[in-house]
Amino acid sequence: MRAVIQRVSSASVTVDDEVVSKISRGLMVLVGIGSDDTASDVSSTIKKILGLRVFSDPTDPKKMWKASVKDIEGEILCVSQFTLLANTTKDKPDFHLAMSADPARELYGAFLDMLREAYVPERIKDGKFGAMMNVSLTNDGPVTFTIDSRKYQYVGHSGGNGVGNVNANVKGGGKSKKGPAPSTVAETP
């Protein structure tokens, strides 16, 4: 599951010239669901959305990165967006990594339900799944983050060149006896 999180002073979703959702201060979250995403991906994504400290300290606005959306009692506007899973290696995007519509609708519904259970239901807003939506927002900062429930990270840091002993950081790997590390990027479970 992939999410683009934007700190906003306001955001809204319009479908067929009708505003279906709007929020004031909080987070705009675009949600992409992968073909193999599960409830575990939903849970880890929700935890990150609610815990990410992207706001100033409410008592001292000059202290940045001190408060989460929960801390400021902000709102969250979520929009399902399969295009976040696009493979753009070629000029024409390929969406095969995105979950198909019916199971994605079900998992996105579960995502919204779990998010409402973990926070304040009235502060969670939603677009309209599968519709052509116009999304308007005022990005505060701008502050934008991308999170992915399948964490990819650079490992084996040895200076600035990104080359190092990856085996020590990859599950099942050990110290390499001979030769260079096989890769500088690894998927972590």
Side-chain angles (χ1 to χ4, degrees):
M1 181 170 273
R2 190 167 291 150
V4 174
I5 302 170
Q6 296 177 294
R7 184 179 73 190
V8 298
S9 55
S10 65
S12 65
V13 174
T14 303
V15 176
D16 296 327
D17 296 323
E18 179 186 341
V19 176
V20 295
S21 290
K22 64 180 178 178
I23 64 168
S24 55
R25 187 172 187 224
L27 299 176
M28 173 76 214
V29 181
L30 305 174
V31 180
I33 300 174
S35 60
D36 61 347
D37 281 341
T38 66
S40 175
D41 296 288
V42 170
S43 180
S44 66
T45 301
I46 288 171
K47 183 177 178 181
K48 182 57 80 173
I49 290 167
L50 293 176
L52 198 61
R53 294 183 303 175
V54 299
F55 295 93
S56 301
D57 184 325
T59 61
D60 185 357
K62 292 182 182 179
K63 292 184 179 178
M64 289 294 297
W65 320 115
K66 298 291 183 183
S68 69
V69 68
K70 289 173 75 172
D71 296 330
I72 66 150
E73 299 179 350
E75 296 178 290
I76 302 172
L77 175 55
C78 299
V79 172
S80 176
Q81 188 166 0
F82 74 94
T83 60
L84 291 178
L85 276 293
N87 177 344
T88 56
T89 306
K90 296 181 180 178
D91 289 343
K92 181 180 179 185
D94 177 342
F95 302 108
H96 286 94
L97 294 177
M99 187 176 281
S100 59
D102 289 336
R105 182 186 314 273
E106 186 176 321
L107 195 58
Y108 182 67
F111 166 82
L112 291 172
D113 290 343
M114 291 172 67
L115 185 58
R116 288 180 176 119
E117 286 175 24
Y119 190 38
V120 179
E122 298 78 30
R123 293 189 188 143
I124 307 301
K125 307 295 181 182
D126 174 30
K128 185 173 180 184
F129 188 93
M132 289 297 292
M133 295 175 268
N134 290 326
V135 178
S136 298
L137 60 99
T138 301
N139 190 323
D140 180 22
V143 172
T144 303
F145 294 94
T146 302
I147 61 170
D148 198 316
S149 62
R150 309 296 172 94
K151 298 173 182 76
Y152 292 91
Q153 67 181 19
Y154 291 97
V155 295
H157 211 74
S158 64
N161 64 7
V163 177
N165 184 359
V166 175
N167 292 330
N169 295 313
V170 178
K171 185 177 181 180
K175 290 190 176 185
S176 177
K177 293 182 182 179
K178 291 186 192 177
S183 172
T184 58
V185 178
E187 180 178 346
T188 57

